[in-house]
Amino acid sequence: MTATTESQHGSGQEVTAAGGPARRVARALADLLFPPGCNSCGLELDGTPDGILFCDACRAELTDAAAVRCRRCAGIAPRDAPPPDMCDLCRGRRLRFDGAVTFGSYDGRLRELVLRMKTRREEPLSLAVGRWMSRQLGERLAELRADVIAPVPMFWTRRLLRGVNSPEILAESLGGRLGLPVRRVLVRTRNTLPQYSLPPSKRFPNVRGAFRIRRGYDLGGARVLLVDDVLTTGATSSEAARALRSAGAEAVLVAVAARAPGAG
């Protein structure tokens, strides 16, 4: 994968991990004066050696270790069998990505957190989810052998109104854990209707042609880890993967915070 370095930095295309020395000192002083609370339930925390601001109870609730998931779409699979390469949710569906992993199911506390992550004031929550996600999925993500991480972008007007794009924050956390560069290689070309407002049959047409690659990027031979907050039908990730493949990506793997129930 190649790109003009000056272009990356000058246009803000590179997402860098937050936390230089001065910022870390400021955070330590703030924690001393105002003990941090769990980013999920608000419980005051005595200490967080790993820097992930979730209490033990919320960590347990957000752990998905017992689930068996389809390697292709991350849907729940029967527990009495090894993870399938394809399941009833995605069988017969043409998906442009090569596989998917998820932090958990889009219900309960995780659903609540994902919805909260969609506002600017909840950026610390997005970081906490990303860090806990990377810790829980670290081994599985490393097996994907990705070269670069790319977040799914929002259309510029929606980003302006919302003020934050949670997939970018998740991607930053995963990149820090995996030691991989995070690049905003994708551009959303039009303001599509929200996928949640559409029936499954309308979701693939809704996002068709909605992504392109930024100028100056050549993904020839790269394995790309595409990051989003939720996967339901796989339409958005599939269309983003199509654009990445058009720029030469060898493989596109998807990592999401939550897998919602729905036909693959």
Side-chain angles (χ1 to χ4, degrees), residues 148-164:
V148 63
I149 298 177
V152 172
M154 299 175 70
F155 191 65
W156 70 271
T157 55
R158 191 176 299 179
R159 172 63 183 267
L160 191 64
L161 290 172
R162 185 176 291 181
V164 67

Side-chain angles (χ1 to χ4, degrees), residues 179-236:
L180 293 174
V182 179
R183 301 286 186 262
R184 291 170 55 191
V185 298
L186 287 165
V187 175
R188 201 147 192 156
T189 59
R190 54 190 174 83
N191 195 15
T192 57
L193 293 171
Q195 292 285 73
Y196 66 79
S197 68
L198 301 172
S201 61
K202 301 292 186 182
R203 295 188 181 191
F204 279 82
N206 182 50
V207 293
R208 189 164 295 136
F211 300 98
R212 67 171 176 81
I213 301 296
R214 290 184 187 272
R215 294 177 183 174
Y217 277 100
D218 175 9
L219 297 173
R223 295 177 62 86
V224 182
L225 183 63
L226 179 69
V227 176
D228 205 354
D229 49 9
V230 181
L231 186 151
T232 304
T233 63
T236 300

Side-chain angles (χ1 to χ4, degrees), residues 36-63 103 109-110 112-114 116-117 122-136 170:
C38 173
N39 275 316
S40 176
C41 69
L43 179 71
E44 185 175 312
L45 301 174
D46 292 332
T48 54
D50 58 8
I52 303 172
L53 297 181
F54 285 134
C55 68
D56 291 342
C58 288
R59 290 181 186 221
E61 193 171 347
L62 292 170
T63 298
F103 184 35
R109 187 173 295 273
L110 182 55
E112 172 195 326
L113 298 187
V114 169
R116 283 172 49 194
M117 283 161 51
E122 296 288 1
E123 287 186 17
L125 171 61
S126 297
L127 282 171
V129 169
R131 287 168 181 165
W132 188 237
M133 177 180 172
S134 64
R135 180 165 176 174
Q136 295 297 300
L170 293 174

Side-chain angles (χ1 to χ4, degrees), residues 24-45:
R24 286 195 293 269
V25 170
R27 187 182 298 119
L29 289 173
D31 289 347
L32 183 63
L33 295 172
F34 308 100
C38 173
N39 275 316
S40 176
C41 69
L43 179 71
E44 185 175 312
L45 301 174

